[in-house]
Amino acid sequence: QVQLVESGGGLVQAGGSLTLSCAASGRTFSTYAMGWFRQAPGKERERVAAISWGGGSTYYADSVKGRFTISRDNIKNTVYLQMNSLKPEDTAVYYCAAAPNVATLLQGSWGQGTQVIVSS
């Protein structure tokens, strides 16, 4: 199991940028695939982006492609989500998740979430 702590959320105007961070504990971080999910009130949880254990493969939801970038630093045990050109519909609680592979992120370890609010 790996423990995850997200940070970097906040209030931003539409068109602005935010960078979320997810710090992981444990020495096996580099063996985990990582992902960012979000959940808005009344909506289902959505996978926003994911990255393979080595960082060589990344995946994005169509709704954020071209605007969000996921990256990881296996020395710092941290995964990032750079969010540009934010829209009000990006407002949600953002969670990071870790699992042995991208396909099993939903069943993996989760952080407590960080709130992102995009004002119009």
Side-chain angles (χ1 to χ4, degrees):
Q1 285 283 341
V2 59
Q3 282 72 51
L4 305 171
V5 178
E6 302 96 335
S7 62
L11 174 64
V12 63
Q13 286 190 330
S17 298
L18 277 176
T19 300
L20 305 183
S21 299
C22 175
S25 64
R27 292 176 291 179
T28 58
F29 173 78
S30 63
T31 67
Y32 283 90
M34 301 294 296
W36 285 97
F37 292 74
R38 67 186 180 187
Q39 188 163 24
K43 294 190 177 181
E44 292 187 356
R45 189 166 293 193
E46 172 190 26
R47 194 183 79 183
V48 173
I51 188 166
S52 60
W53 64 268
S57 297
T58 56
Y59 310 85
Y60 296 95
D62 288 343
S63 56
V64 306
K65 231 172 247 184
R67 300 189 297 122
F68 290 12
T69 302
I70 188 170
S71 62
R72 66 188 298 160
D73 185 331
N74 285 347
I75 302 298
K76 295 183 178 179
N77 281 11
T78 302
V79 63
Y80 305 96
L81 186 68
Q82 174 68 44
M83 305 185 294
N84 298 326
S85 302
L86 282 161
K87 305 174 181 179
E89 51 264 43
D90 294 319
T91 295
V93 178
Y94 284 72
Y95 302 87
C96 69
N101 55 71
V102 170
T104 58
L105 281 168
L106 271 176
Q107 293 78 37
S109 301
W110 287 74
Q112 82 291 345
T114 186
Q115 176 76 57
V116 171
I117 300 173
V118 184
S119 63
S120 56

